[in-house]
Amino acid sequence: MSAFVDALASRLPPGRVSIDPADLLQYGRDWTRDWTPAPSAVTWPRSTAEVVEVLHISRHFGVHVVPSGGRTGLAGGAVARQGEVVLSLERMNRIDPVDELGQTVRVQAGAITQIVQEHCERAGLTWPIDLAAKGSSTIGGNLATNAGGLNVVRYGHARHWVLGLQVVLASGEVVEVGGALEKDNTGLDLRQLFIGSEGTLGIVTEATLKLTRVPGKLDVLLFGVDGLPAALRLLREVRQGAPGLLHAFEYFTDFCASQVVEHRKLPWPLRNRPHAYVLVELEAPDAAVLEFWLGVALGVPGVSDGVVAQSSKQARELWAYREDITASLSAAAQRHGVGAPHKNDVALPLALLEAFCAELDGDWRQTRKAWPLALFGHLGDGNLHLNTLPPAGLPPTDWPSACATADRELFALVRRHGGSISAEHGVGLVKKPYLHLTRSPAEIAVMRAVKAALDPDNFLNPGKIFDP
Ligand code: 2HG
Ligand code: ZN
């Protein structure tokens, strides 16, 4: 192995390689904690030419490559556990000037999402993918995982906001797919092949992002609801009658709110404690029209309470009850003696969500009454996050197998209702054993054929999504 590290160190400029155990630990994993990181080295190329060089050297020594962005993923897609070299793109963070007429910006893959957004905002434009992790996630990681986030209901996923990509293939060849063209109807859309492929088909080194205007004033409303059916009735009302453009429609149960209240030492957000909450964000034209509509929304059966934030400070305070759920649950997991909550991220057709949740409350929930369950998510997209913590009294060694049983039953329900086992977090290592449940054998065969065509030696991010 040292001959490999020596080759990297001698063929790249100084400071590009590390075998320091602290670096191996930090760069060998993402936000998941189920695998022990064990890369052989970490390398930080600064240019596409250096990425190509790393691939050539790694291939020569038979070392597989795990591309790495901000490592904020929740599916184990950036985990290196078998002596791979981690190719971190974080030092490739150039951001070009905004093309204000074309509404595009060209960036290197390691540019931090939030920094790109702030750069574009100076021209009144934004890359509209809003994630809790945007302060550390990178554009390359956002594209490799087709990131979603809080505003998918308005803007869609990351894949909708890309015009061109520069990709280094497993062979070391550099390809430009797309460019700054809004329209290009010449055969297969190769950009979309790489976006969401979790670094298994090529390494995105640069991207031309499509931008849109920064939204106007956003109004934030928080409602109390007596359950998911009421939240869905409210969604129908929002879609049919709310003034302005819907920017977010988020759901979370009282248990989620209680975790945030405890962890952040916040007051309860509404006068009474409802069964669940819905946070609605609207780009609304007029305060009086919005106040009038609030009265209509409060008449929806099962909606018990509702407030409109009166200032941007209050809007941020209301958002905290939703955005701080993940961090509050991580803190709770430590108290329960596990590294992280057990997470799921499923999607259902909106029309079947109510039936799905009713069944979830049946056998699945009844056999796990003692499990603390946090149910929340991007309800406007049919995307639910389920986080569970070990119940009191369960030996920690029994927790992983109890979760595996719960997952199999959950995914059977998801499949029966036409859903997906991962709405936005991706497959990586976490969902790989279950991919076949909601993607057909024919689809997986096509995915394998694509992988075999682009990376026949399984050189890039091996073991992620599926085995070849
Ligand atoms: C969110 O929506 C993220 O906040 C994280 O997708 C979800 O912690 C989770 O399960
Ligand atoms: Zn989410």
Side-chain angles (χ1 to χ4, degrees):
M1 189 50 70
S2 74
F4 167 61
V5 175
D6 289 349
L8 286 174
S10 66
R11 304 243 303 260
L12 295 169
R16 302 286 202 271
V17 189
S18 172
I19 50 166
D20 181 329
D23 288 333
L24 300 183
L25 181 67
Q26 184 185 347
Y27 286 85
R29 67 183 181 195
D30 55 15
W31 277 1
T32 55
R33 290 292 175 267
D34 297 346
W35 294 275
T36 308
S40 55
V42 184
T43 175
W44 294 270
R46 293 197 98 114
S47 66
T48 301
E50 288 182 13
V51 172
V52 172
E53 187 67 8
V54 170
L55 292 201
H56 284 323
I57 299 167
S58 304
R59 186 176 281 283
H60 178 79
F61 283 90
V63 178
H64 293 158
V65 176
V66 174
S68 176
R71 300 180 315 284
T72 57
L74 292 166
V79 170
R81 58 192 171 129
Q82 288 167 338
E84 306 93 331
V85 57
V86 175
L87 192 160
S88 167
L89 292 134
E90 71 183 12
R91 295 192 193 162
M92 290 179 58
N93 56 8
R94 194 195 74 241
I95 305 175
D96 287 348
V98 171
D99 169 356
E100 292 187 33
L101 179 62
Q103 300 198 328
T104 67
V105 69
R106 176 90 171 178
V107 303
Q108 280 184 311
I112 301 281
T113 314
Q114 188 171 346
I115 295 180
V116 171
Q117 288 165 338
E118 287 166 2
H119 172 85
C120 298
E121 274 162 25
R122 292 195 276 278
L125 296 168
T126 188
W127 193 61
I129 306 303
D130 194 7
L131 307 159
K134 66 186 172 200
S136 26
S137 75
T138 61
I139 296 295
N142 296 159
L143 300 184
T145 57
N146 184 30
L150 299 166
N151 302 136
V152 172
V153 76
R154 173 147 180 199
Y155 297 111
H157 278 248
R159 67 165 75 258
H160 298 110
W161 296 93
V162 182
L163 295 181
L165 293 179
Q166 181 189 72
V167 182
V168 182
L169 302 177
S171 62
E173 193 176 346
V174 181
V175 289
E176 294 281 344
V177 292
L181 297 177
E182 181 64 42
K183 299 178 84 171
D184 181 3
N185 201 10
T186 52
L188 299 186
D189 188 343
L190 298 178
R191 290 167 309 183
Q192 299 302 343
L193 194 60
F194 293 107
I195 298 171
S197 68
E198 302 187 22
T200 61
L201 299 181
I203 301 177
V204 173
T205 42
E206 296 197 11
T208 302
L209 303 177
K210 178 176 156 130
L211 307 175
T212 186
R213 72 172 172 87
V214 174
K217 180 175 170 295
L218 294 171
D219 281 295
V220 176
L221 300 92
L222 189 71
F223 292 94
V225 295
D226 66 10
L228 191 107
L232 289 170
R233 283 193 289 275
L234 183 59
L235 177 60
R236 190 185 285 262
E237 168 52 39
V238 165
R239 286 198 158 151
Q240 284 173 355
L245 295 167
L246 179 60
H247 206 72
F249 191 97
E250 297 288 318
Y251 176 82
F252 52 99
T253 57
D254 175 64
F255 176 77
C256 301
S258 72
Q259 298 302 300
V260 179
V261 164
E262 188 183 335
H263 182 62
R264 298 283 192 230
K265 310 271 174 288
L266 295 178
W268 290 97
L270 298 176
R271 264 194 314 273
N272 299 310
R273 276 179 73 175
H275 177 84
Y277 297 83
V278 170
L279 185 145
V280 177
E281 191 170 60
L282 291 164
E283 187 180 355
D286 178 294
V289 177
L290 187 67
E291 279 294 339
F292 176 79
W293 178 77
L294 177 62
V296 176
L298 287 171
V300 171
V303 176
S304 55
D305 202 352
V307 292
V308 184
Q310 298 301 327
S311 63
S312 50
K313 177 171 172 288
Q314 211 188 342
R316 277 197 306 278
E317 285 166 6
L318 291 182
W319 260 117
Y321 293 98
R322 166 61 185 87
E323 284 200 295
D324 292 355
I325 294 172
T326 296
S328 304
L329 290 171
S330 297
Q334 312 284 324
R335 293 197 298 277
H336 283 248
V338 286
H342 182 67
K343 288 180 183 292
N344 271 302
D345 159 46
V346 298
L348 279 308
L350 274 171
L352 298 180
L353 202 54
E354 191 173 335
F356 167 81
C357 285
E359 278 201 52
L360 190 72
D361 272 346
D363 282 355
W364 192 87
R365 190 70 189 124
Q366 295 313 314
T367 50
R368 299 177 181 85
K369 269 198 179 128
W371 292 30
L373 168 69
L375 187 68
F376 61 106
H378 318 288
L379 194 67
D381 311 323
N383 179 181
L384 289 179
H385 297 312
L386 292 90
N387 281 215
T388 43
L389 295 165
L394 186 83
T397 43
D398 292 355
W399 177 234
S401 66
C403 289
T405 307
D407 284 355
R408 276 193 299 276
E409 292 174 23
L410 172 71
F411 297 150
L413 261 185
V414 168
R415 177 190 167 120
R416 259 214 320 284
H417 289 86
S420 168
I421 58 161
S422 177
E424 60 173 0
H425 295 166
V427 179
L429 293 169
V430 173
K431 293 293 173 321
K432 176 176 150 180
Y434 309 107
L435 180 67
H436 65 283
L437 293 176
T438 58
R439 301 300 295 264
S440 68
E443 283 182 292
I444 295 174
V446 173
M447 292 193 217
R448 286 208 167 98
V450 173
K451 173 75 174 171
L454 288 178
D455 183 15
D457 306 317
N458 198 20
F459 173 57
L460 293 179
N461 217 5
K464 310 296 164 46
I465 310 181
F466 53 79
D467 287 318

